[in-house]
Amino acid sequence: MPYLDDHHYLYPRDAAAQLTPNDTQRTTLIVAGCYIIVIAILWHVPILSYIIYPFKLLTVGFHEMSHAIAGILTCATIHSVELDPDEGGETRMSGGIPWITLPAGYLGSSLIGACLIACGFDTNASKIACIVLGVFFLFTLWWARRNWLCVMYCLCIPVRPAPTSFPLSSSRTWALILGMTGLVILFWFVAESVCLRYFILFVGVMSDLYVLWDVIDDTIARKVNNSDASAFARICGCFPSQVWGVIWLLVAFGFFVAGVLVGIVAFKESATQQQQDANHFLPAPGSSAAVPGATVPTFLIVTITSLVWNLLA
């Protein structure tokens, strides 16, 4: 008869206990639910929609950068990544695998939103997410620099016609990048970086909701011939664009649910425990755990500023 040592025997985890949110996670879920309601209201009220306009452009940036990353991974040549003030965008590339690059916009941005939602359950994870967002901002500034030089070249040489629109080099895009960077730095300082967690949660919820509503608007409610789903349907030929829109919608919703579940399972620390852990990981300047004269966030700010300066030089 085999002998089982109870002290070393691995019992299966109780799934119900793992998926049951604690008090801190319930607060996070309530805040996320409020975000959904507020975003839905602001989205459909014409005047109030300007409040979330910068975040709409940010999610469009996630969409286009997902196209670009998928193109790079499939050996495509990225020619340009453009955003415009009308909440649209375009990624020009040659080569790659269209079966991957076309759905990567919606699915990639919804995956980014799900990751941000999961990180929104923990303060330290939100700090790491902010660093990743900083890298995204640097890539955006790089493309803005390229388009800005092109625009200046067209304006300075009379032989070349000046462009009628400036997709990524417009002042709105620069204001978006600088504004988001300012919010990240501000929330890093406030309340021991607790506000940073709710900011990352908001960006994640906004990104996933934008994908869900955009897929419904472009492919299900009405057919847009130049949408990603229409282009994918022409290449694949198996189903019409509306069917692919439904499939992408289900996948995007699955990412949204997965982000919430991962946040609940992975981050079980209470608010007090998160604050203690945050004091020892990239502490905010002025906090009790911050090292005088050598705070990590300040170092990161200086590093990012230096990189941007080198990009624009």
Side-chain angles (χ1 to χ4, degrees):
M1 178 178 180
Y3 171 75
L4 297 179
D5 187 357
D6 290 339
H7 296 287
H8 298 88
Y9 184 72
L10 298 179
Y11 292 95
R13 290 186 176 184
D14 186 358
Q18 289 294 322
L19 294 176
T20 301
N22 55 29
D23 293 337
T24 302
Q25 292 174 331
R26 290 192 187 96
T27 302
T28 304
L29 291 175
I30 293 174
V31 172
C34 294
Y35 284 164
I36 295 175
I37 297 175
V38 171
I39 291 172
I41 295 175
L42 296 179
W43 197 289
H44 296 92
V45 179
I47 298 178
L48 297 180
S49 62
Y50 287 102
I51 298 176
I52 59 174
Y53 174 77
F55 297 97
K56 287 184 178 181
L57 287 184
L58 181 63
T59 54
V60 173
F62 290 155
H63 180 101
E64 300 305 328
M65 288 304 296
S66 297
H67 281 305
I69 293 173
I72 293 174
L73 294 178
T74 56
C75 301
T77 301
I78 309 299
H79 301 291
S80 65
V81 177
E82 298 179 351
L83 306 179
D84 62 60
D86 295 328
E87 302 170 22
E90 184 179 26
T91 301
R92 297 179 180 273
M93 69 178 74
S94 58
I97 304 176
W99 288 59
I100 298 177
T101 57
L102 283 173
Y106 287 124
L107 301 185
S109 55
S110 62
L111 178 60
I112 292 174
C115 293
L116 293 178
I117 290 174
C119 291
F121 281 81
D122 183 76
T123 303
N124 285 344
S126 298
K127 293 180 178 180
I128 297 175
C130 284
I131 297 176
V132 176
L133 285 179
V135 175
F136 166 79
F137 291 158
L138 287 178
F139 275 109
T140 306
L141 286 175
W142 167 254
W143 288 110
R145 169 184 177 271
R146 294 184 59 181
N147 286 339
W148 177 255
L149 292 177
C150 178
V151 170
M152 292 300 295
Y153 179 70
C154 294
L155 293 177
C156 293
I157 300 179
V159 177
R160 298 178 61 88
T164 57
S165 62
F166 311 117
L168 191 58
S169 59
S170 64
S171 59
R172 294 185 183 183
T173 305
W174 284 93
L176 169 67
I177 298 298
L178 295 178
M180 291 299 170
T181 303
L183 286 177
V184 169
I185 296 174
L186 174 63
F187 291 144
W188 202 307
F189 280 75
V190 177
E192 302 290 342
S193 303
V194 175
C195 293
L196 187 68
R197 180 164 69 88
Y198 291 111
F199 174 72
I200 291 297
L201 180 67
F202 177 82
V203 175
V205 172
M206 179 71 189
S207 179
D208 272 357
L209 289 182
Y210 190 91
V211 171
L212 295 176
W213 289 334
D214 200 37
V215 170
I216 294 175
D217 185 53
D218 283 353
T219 62
I220 300 176
R222 60 189 180 94
K223 181 180 178 181
V224 179
N225 292 327
N226 59 350
S227 66
D228 294 339
S230 297
F232 189 81
R234 288 193 295 268
I235 294 176
C236 180
C238 299
F239 304 108
S241 60
Q242 290 84 353
V243 175
W244 287 116
V246 172
I247 295 175
W248 293 357
L249 180 67
L250 294 176
V251 174
F253 183 77
F255 282 147
F256 179 83
V257 175
V260 174
L261 295 180
V262 170
I264 293 176
V265 174
F267 305 113
K268 286 293 185 181
E269 295 82 2
S270 64
T272 304
Q273 291 173 329
Q274 289 188 25
Q275 183 176 358
Q276 294 175 353
D277 294 339
N279 288 335
H280 296 87
F281 180 76
L282 303 180
S287 63
S288 58
V291 179
T295 55
V296 177
T298 304
F299 171 76
L300 291 176
I301 295 172
V302 173
T303 302
I304 293 176
T305 304
S306 300
L307 289 173
V308 173
W309 178 264
N310 291 329
L311 286 175
L312 301 179

